[in-house]
Amino acid sequence: MMPSPVPWLDTVLVLWFALTALSVAYVAWDAFTRNPELKVMKWGWLLVTLYGGPIMAAAYVLSCQEPATERHEDFIRPLWKQAFGSAIHCMAGDATGVIAAAAVTTALGLPMWQDVIAEYVFGFAFGLLIFQALFMRDMAGGSYARALRMSFMPEWLSMKGSVPAEGEMTP
């Protein structure tokens, strides 16, 4: 194994991964043992903390962790916390699909244009089929098909914001 051209970078990466592991462990423990959030949000926070490490763990504590002196519903009442929670829900689902697609397309050695299409489709599909329709079916009266119909447009609009329309790309 060749030594890193930037030796201190290895130390920084090991430190980051260690902090990320601790962050994920803390968020998982708190979310699944103390937080009354919906199960989908618990998994969402766990995934985004895995992707964002201590930064997302800090965001969890500031926006979602139930304080000892306040009811959770009162704590998350401010609109910014609700909007942030919605973004976490969306990011967890879509990013997981995108990351899975990137791993597959890289392993297959696909050209960039196919990679971009696969990442969009996987991100959309995972976000819609798992994080929207599956986890939200209780809100649709228990029907997965109804949850799928209700979730399609919000998921499409959330993914639309991440892909430039024709003419939006700069040369």
Side-chain angles (χ1 to χ4, degrees):
M1 189 161 131
M2 291 181 50
S4 171
V6 186
W8 60 267
L9 189 55
D10 290 340
T11 304
V12 170
L13 284 173
V14 168
L15 180 62
W16 178 259
F17 290 140
L19 289 172
T20 297
L22 290 171
S23 297
V24 168
Y26 175 77
V27 169
W29 170 79
D30 189 76
F32 286 97
T33 62
R34 299 180 49 213
N35 197 317
E37 278 282 9
L38 296 172
K39 187 184 288 188
V40 66
M41 287 307 298
K42 294 174 185 192
W43 282 105
W45 276 109
L46 189 63
L47 287 169
V48 299
T49 304
L50 183 63
Y51 307 150
I55 294 167
M56 293 313 295
Y60 170 80
V61 169
L62 293 172
S63 69
C64 189
Q65 183 181 43
E66 184 173 1
T69 60
E70 204 171 349
R71 286 181 340 126
H72 187 73
E73 293 77 17
D74 295 333
F75 180 69
I76 62 167
R77 183 165 291 129
L79 289 179
W80 76 267
K81 290 181 181 180
Q82 294 176 34
F84 195 70
S86 182
I88 294 300
H89 178 263
C90 182
M91 182 170 55
D94 298 348
T96 301
V98 168
I99 291 168
V104 170
T105 59
T106 299
L108 295 174
L110 296 181
M112 183 59 74
W113 70 271
Q114 289 176 342
D115 175 72
V116 169
I117 292 169
E119 287 181 22
Y120 183 85
V121 169
F122 273 60
F124 180 80
F126 194 87
L128 175 65
L129 300 174
I130 307 293
F131 263 76
Q132 293 290 350
L134 181 63
F135 286 152
M136 305 303 279
R137 74 177 181 267
D138 291 342
M139 297 173 102
S143 169
Y144 181 77
R146 185 163 185 253
L148 199 56
R149 284 192 305 275
M150 290 171 48
S151 304
F152 182 83
M153 189 56 70
E155 180 63 23
W156 184 79
L157 290 172
S158 76
M159 285 293 287
K160 174 61 181 107
S162 62
V163 177
E166 185 178 338
E168 289 181 358
M169 296 180 103
T170 56

